[in-house]
Amino acid sequence: MSKDQSFQIFRGLAIVAVVAIHAISLASSSSGNFELQSALIFRQFINFAVPVFLFISGYFSVKLFNNRNDYFRFLESRLTRLLTPYLIWSLAGIILLRNWHEVKPIEAAILLLTGQSVGPYYYIVVLLQFTLITPILIKSLTNRFLSAFIISLSPISLLILYGINLFSDGLSFPWYALPCTIWIMFYYWGIYARVKLDDAWFYKKLPVFIFCLLLCLLLSVIESQYLHERWNDSEFAASQIKVSSFAASFCFINVLMGLRKIGIESHFIARLGDFSFGIYLVHMFLLAPSISLIDRIPVISHFHLAIIAIATPLTIALCIALSLLSRKVLGEKMSTQLLGL
């Protein structure tokens, strides 16, 4: 796995997980309890998607901010890449995925500001928050106590979320996922790894990280079953925002970093990484029709996992085809700048 290609492989793995997660959510609920339980267990093994993307974003956000101009150049670069595709596809989501004629201007504004026009777009809102505070996070690396405080914001936010979800009416998605404090350990770990660590550090500890990953995945399955059966909270049970899921994602990231020195390559997965942002932006428009089509096949319709297994690669293929078509029609530069494809 070459160093240049490795992060594209990480992105490829993460985007497949993103599509699979949403396929689980959208797949027909007519399947039996065993199938639904199996899907809940499977979900625990792919909950690393957002943490991996945030880690990579933090890793590549490390810049030298010597003056105000450096900061504004960083802002311009990140915002230009994110905002135009986000606004275009968000408006498309309001028109195509909602009863747009019933959406009032103030409601549309709230949807845009909170990433709710298309469910997964909350991630961009989170990433924009991190973009604004990146210089502060980089400078905090020189202060051990400040670094520890920043990392602690994630577990503190998690504890608050547990209290709200388990002992009150709870927060609905995406409100509990929007504050950047809950995700900050992953973005900050990317910055920390880039500045303070090297590949050898991860490689030396690889056996430990693999063992911890397996243990955390087991704990994640146990926690999800407990939350589902004891608290009757299937959304929280499946969520990637749980203590066990966060621990598993942290270990998974470190395993990926450790594997960078081994030399494993996958041009196919790396290619998926090349298209990851475009797949992220458009997959929700194509996933529901794909599932609806697959669900009409009598042999498959009652098998939850089979629908997920077919809908995920089909949707990814359609997203890539749309990206290639967009680049053919608009040109690669215009397609990337306007549509993120």
Side-chain angles (χ1 to χ4, degrees), residues 34 40 46 74 81 117 200 202 240 245 275 279:
F34 174 77
L40 179 61
I46 57 174
F74 172 71
R81 186 171 63 87
S117 56
F202 289 98
Q240 57 195 311
S245 293
F275 288 98
I279 295 171

Side-chain angles (χ1 to χ4, degrees), residues 41-57:
I41 293 172
F42 173 62
R43 172 71 188 268
Q44 307 313 305
F45 290 84
I46 57 174
N47 272 339
F48 58 82
V50 170
V52 167
F53 275 127
L54 287 175
F55 172 83
I56 295 172
S57 182

Side-chain angles (χ1 to χ4, degrees), residues 158-234:
L158 273 175
L159 288 176
I160 294 172
L161 178 62
Y162 272 76
I164 294 173
N165 276 4
L166 300 183
F167 301 105
S168 69
D169 293 336
L171 288 174
S172 60
F173 179 84
W175 296 106
Y176 58 82
L178 282 174
C180 70
T181 54
I182 204 160
W183 301 103
I184 198 166
M185 62 180 287
F186 300 110
Y187 189 85
Y188 192 67
W189 185 239
I191 294 174
Y192 189 92
R194 181 68 178 269
V195 176
K196 297 285 189 177
L197 305 175
D198 56 24
D199 294 343
W201 186 89
F202 289 98
Y203 182 71
K204 289 177 182 177
K205 298 179 183 297
L206 186 57
V208 175
F209 289 138
I210 291 174
F211 173 79
C212 291
L213 173 60
L214 295 175
L215 177 61
C216 290
L217 287 172
L218 175 61
L219 293 175
S220 184
V221 171
I222 293 172
E223 183 183 10
S224 68
Q225 297 302 306
Y226 176 78
L227 291 172
H228 179 64
E229 295 175 10
R230 170 66 176 82
W231 295 92
N232 194 30
D233 193 338
S234 57

Side-chain angles (χ1 to χ4, degrees), residues 27-30 290-298 300-302 307:
S28 173
S29 60
S30 61
S290 297
I291 290 176
S292 178
L293 178 65
I294 296 167
D295 201 31
R296 295 179 182 178
I297 304 174
I300 300 175
S301 61
H302 293 292
I307 295 174

